[in-house]
Amino acid sequence: MSAVLHAHPESGPALGVDAGKPRKVLSEAGQRGRWWRFTAILAITAIVLVPIVVTVLLAFTPGPNSTATGLTFENISNVFSKTLAATWLKNSLITTLATVIISVAVAAPAGYVLSRGRSKAVSGYSLLLFVMQSLPIITSVVPLFILFAGMGLVDNLMGLTIIYVGSTMTVATWMMAAYFDSIPISLEEASWIDGCSVFGSFTKVVLRNSLPGILSTAIFSFLLAWNDYLVAIVFLRSNEIFTLPMGVQSFFQQNATDWTSVMALAVIMMLPPVIVFATLNRYFSVGGIGGSLAGR
Amino acid sequence: MALTETQSGLSRARRGVAPGGPGTAPVKRRSKLSAQTSRTFFWLLLPSVVLLVLIHGYPLIHAAVQATHDGNLLQTGNFVGGENFSTVLTSPAFWKAAQFTLWFTIVGVFGSWLVGLGLALLLRTKIPAGGTFKVLLLLPWVVPIVVSSTAWNWLVATPDSLIPSLFRNLGLGTPLFLADPTLASITVMVFKVWVSFPFMMMMISAALASVDSTVYEAASMDGATRWQQFSQITLPLIARSTYISWILMTIFCVNDFPTIYLLTGGGPVSATTSLVVLAYRTVFQDFATGPGVAIAFLMTMTLVVISVILYRQIRKSSVE
């Protein structure tokens, strides 16, 4: 490597010796740098992904009492046939879907007001939402537990959904508002001149052009509801009401040695967010939480 | 009351941005539309306000009541003023947890920032299959914590796990990653960095994407070294999103429950007990509701200050 650098001293921009000199061999050096960087990122990615690869491998490795050889679907089918995995999966899907739909339905209109309204009250509400999203959920969890216990919403998927919607709506509203900011108000003005109401122009003009914003809000709510553990551990009591995080955890504690089954359930749990990200990633990277806050 | 204020504020605001802009539309139509606008805005905002009051406002007030009473989960008990707070503030466990939370946050924020920054810079250059790597590197953030903590447990928990065995085979002894207090703290922090760096990477990549590459060409023409380019062009250009991501990540780290709880449960000998874990255990395992909520309240105060400062900063920088 150093010999190469000696042969082309001007080709080493990383050394800082190329000042003012023409860079004849830049493309060659650039090529070399490209493969060096490729190797580096390949190595880093490989190390970073070890825990995930291990999870997937173990999930398809025959268990301790199995006669199967090679990779097998046995663990996955066992988890479904011998445990409550199907129920947990169903509970997680119901809760998450309900959270996503209600969050968007609440956040989109509120975000519209935040985006179009210009007043102290609106910016005050915006600040309030922002402060609320940063508060530790543990503070609200105890009072909500008491309130929900009185209403029969403890150990209940509806109670869980209400809390998830409550915790997504703050950031979700900001995300929607940031997206609406990017839609020119002249579009609405045109529809008002045509006699459209404010609500009509919101639904027909603004919402119709907001699919990326809605999708990124939906992904955010989906991740929060699908991954939550703290609310679930406080509010869920019985096995058949568990969502997947509680299921994996209970399973993990009871069968500490049966890693293949734990990992089979873990793979089932990580599949939906990975699929969502693999297909909708481009919407999220633009309108992500950070991006939306940065955009305000 | 807050609602009527919002409504009148909105109608006032709306008049300024009436259709056609001020001065062009007929006065009559404008005022009619603005009344309609404020009514519509009120209904559009209502569900959000109701949820905010139910899920955030009411619990916060109730928590304030619980923090100043000696009750339990079932009864409010008697008013004891600041007693719970003084109990908490004089207990060594609280300060130990506060200290751990501080370190956890510092390592979590700057560790994930450094890794995220390095990878964002690397991915910004032309690399074969760069897009694929970008998606793969997001996985630690996308995979549920319950899943990744399980995988990490499998990798490090017992002396026979993969990584301790690897250390043994290399002749480095057999580290007990989750049984030794210092090693467990380090493991939890490394895990947090592993979970969080993709978020930082996304934030920084988004900021870098908007930087014009000709700036760098001009700088290298002028003889700027790589380091000068980085410290005098790149860093200032991503300063705003760096600043925002630091404070966001601080909030994420302080509030983090599952990352710690799932990996170590706060142990060994409460070495990895953060304030949230301590609050959870105080309320739901020791059933000391008052002190537990008091801990949560002290965190809340700190975070309100942090987020108001952050909010001001964002507002200020978006005006610029």
Side-chain angles (χ1 to χ4, degrees):
Chain A
M1 182 69 193
S2 70
V4 178
L5 283 176
H6 277 297
H8 307 283
E10 68 272 52
S11 73
L15 296 176
V17 294
D18 62 330
K21 291 184 182 175
R23 287 192 272 164
K24 281 181 286 187
V25 278
L26 182 73
S27 61
E28 190 194 319
Q31 280 296 331
R32 218 173 334 107
R34 232 179 116 181
W35 286 103
W36 184 86
R37 289 193 301 266
F38 176 76
T39 316
I41 203 104
L42 188 69
I44 295 169
T45 310
I47 294 170
V48 160
L49 293 186
V50 163
I52 295 165
V53 172
V54 156
T55 308
V56 176
L57 275 181
L58 279 177
F60 295 102
T61 304
N65 307 318
S66 167
T67 52
T69 50
L71 295 181
T72 170
F73 281 93
E74 204 178 59
N75 304 316
I76 307 255
S77 64
N78 276 347
V79 153
F80 275 117
S81 61
K82 291 180 185 163
T83 73
L84 286 171
T87 312
W88 299 332
L89 179 63
K90 194 188 78 192
N91 291 345
S92 266
L93 284 173
I94 292 173
T95 317
T96 306
L97 268 181
T99 304
V100 169
I101 293 168
I102 303 172
S103 291
V104 172
V106 170
Y112 178 72
V113 177
L114 247 56
S115 167
R116 298 299 191 244
R118 294 275 177 271
S119 78
K120 281 211 167 109
V122 169
S123 51
Y125 190 65
S126 166
L127 170 65
L128 200 62
L129 285 177
F130 189 76
V131 171
M132 289 303 180
Q133 67 83 28
S134 71
L135 298 188
I137 189 85
I138 188 91
T139 320
S140 321
V141 152
V142 183
L144 283 176
F145 184 82
I146 297 164
L147 177 73
F148 280 20
M151 298 163 72
L153 288 172
V154 168
D155 209 15
N156 180 312
L157 292 180
M158 203 204 286
L160 210 59
T161 307
I162 295 171
I163 299 180
Y164 289 160
V165 173
S167 38
T168 55
M169 54 122 0
T170 48
V171 175
T173 306
W174 267 60
M175 290 175 78
M176 289 308 311
Y179 194 82
F180 293 146
D181 280 349
S182 70
I183 296 177
I185 199 160
S186 54
L187 278 181
E188 288 153 80
E189 285 169 355
S191 77
W192 289 333
I193 288 163
D194 293 343
C196 203
S197 69
V198 178
F199 183 73
S201 73
F202 165 62
T203 52
K204 287 180 198 137
V205 178
V206 177
L207 272 190
R208 194 165 282 182
N209 287 301
S210 300
L211 188 66
I214 292 172
L215 273 179
S216 83
T217 308
I219 296 170
F220 166 76
S221 313
F222 166 83
L223 286 178
L224 190 137
W226 187 263
N227 296 346
D228 165 75
Y229 181 68
L230 177 55
V231 178
I233 195 181
V234 171
F235 281 83
L236 299 183
R237 301 279 147 205
S238 34
N239 259 320
E240 59 277 13
I241 304 291
F242 278 180
T243 48
L244 275 174
M246 290 296 287
V248 172
Q249 201 47 22
S250 71
F251 203 65
F252 173 55
Q253 281 157 355
Q254 286 161 16
N255 309 284
T257 47
D258 187 8
W259 282 102
T260 47
S261 304
V262 180
M263 295 306 197
L265 193 56
V267 164
I268 294 164
M269 187 181 172
M270 77 181 188
L271 219 51
V274 169
I275 292 172
V276 164
F277 245 79
T279 50
L280 301 174
N281 162 49
R282 68 206 152 101
Y283 293 109
F284 198 71
S285 56
V286 183
I289 324 162
S292 70
L293 293 182
R296 292 292 288 165
Chain B
M1 194 212 135
L3 286 182
T4 48
E5 199 185 314
T6 308
Q7 195 183 3
S8 68
L10 286 175
S11 65
R12 245 186 294 123
R14 204 56 192 159
R15 261 171 245 138
V17 285
T24 52
V27 176
K28 217 175 167 185
R29 172 153 169 82
R30 217 163 86 202
S31 61
K32 191 183 133 210
L33 230 152
S34 100
Q36 187 215 344
T37 304
S38 68
R39 228 182 10 255
T40 311
F41 275 19
F42 170 79
W43 288 110
L44 290 178
L45 207 55
L46 190 63
S48 163
V49 174
V50 168
L51 262 172
L52 193 82
V53 170
L54 173 71
I55 303 296
H56 298 277
Y58 156 78
L60 217 56
I61 294 164
H62 194 151
V65 172
Q66 284 179 315
T68 50
H69 286 68
D70 64 355
N72 50 38
L73 272 180
L74 301 171
Q75 286 165 328
T76 311
N78 304 311
F79 181 75
V80 292
E83 202 180 281
N84 288 324
F85 286 95
S86 60
T87 308
V88 164
L89 288 170
T90 52
S91 94
F94 173 80
W95 291 107
K96 203 180 169 198
Q99 201 186 0
F100 176 75
T101 309
L102 185 68
W103 281 115
F104 179 76
T105 305
I106 292 172
V107 174
V109 171
F110 293 105
S112 61
W113 182 69
L114 284 176
V115 177
L117 176 66
L119 286 170
L121 288 174
L122 204 56
L123 283 168
R124 187 171 181 272
T125 58
K126 277 206 176 68
I127 290 176
T132 313
F133 284 120
K134 217 170 197 170
V135 175
L136 285 176
L137 284 168
L138 288 180
L139 281 177
W141 192 69
V142 172
V143 167
I145 298 286
V146 173
V147 172
S148 44
S149 68
T150 306
W152 275 64
N153 252 304
W154 187 85
L155 284 169
V156 302
T158 69
D160 296 323
S161 301
L162 187 71
I163 293 181
S165 312
L166 213 66
F167 272 74
R168 194 166 48 237
N169 290 335
L170 290 169
L172 297 166
T174 309
L176 297 167
F177 284 102
L178 300 181
D180 174 82
T182 313
L183 274 182
S185 308
I186 295 172
T187 309
V188 170
M189 289 173 196
V190 173
F191 181 46
K192 183 63 186 175
V193 171
W194 182 82
V195 170
S196 312
F197 84 82
F199 174 78
M200 290 292 194
M201 195 180 82
M202 275 201 297
M203 290 281 287
I204 300 168
S205 290
L208 286 175
S210 61
V211 178
D212 192 350
S213 64
T214 55
V215 177
Y216 291 96
E217 280 163 28
S220 65
M221 288 284 212
D222 292 342
T225 62
R226 275 292 168 96
W227 171 252
Q228 283 170 333
Q229 290 180 26
F230 172 72
S231 62
Q232 285 167 31
I233 303 176
T234 309
L235 277 187
L237 282 171
I238 62 167
R240 183 159 165 256
S241 65
T242 291
Y243 185 72
I244 293 169
S245 64
W246 278 354
I247 299 184
L248 278 179
M249 191 53 74
T250 303
I251 293 169
F252 295 163
C253 284
V254 173
N255 284 341
D256 192 7
F257 176 77
T259 304
I260 298 166
Y261 191 79
L262 287 169
L263 202 57
T264 64
V269 282
S270 64
T272 58
T273 298
S274 68
L275 287 172
V276 184
V277 174
L278 185 67
Y280 171 78
R281 287 178 140 184
T282 312
V283 174
F284 291 101
Q285 284 171 12
D286 307 340
F287 301 107
T289 311
V293 175
I295 295 169
F297 234 85
L298 290 168
M299 292 173 58
T300 303
M301 298 302 172
T302 318
L303 289 169
V304 166
V305 173
I306 292 176
S307 48
V308 170
I309 294 172
L310 167 64
Y311 184 87
R312 288 237 173 101
Q313 213 62 36
I314 295 174
R315 284 274 142 169
K316 221 195 286 172
S317 47
S318 50
V319 169
E320 277 163 15

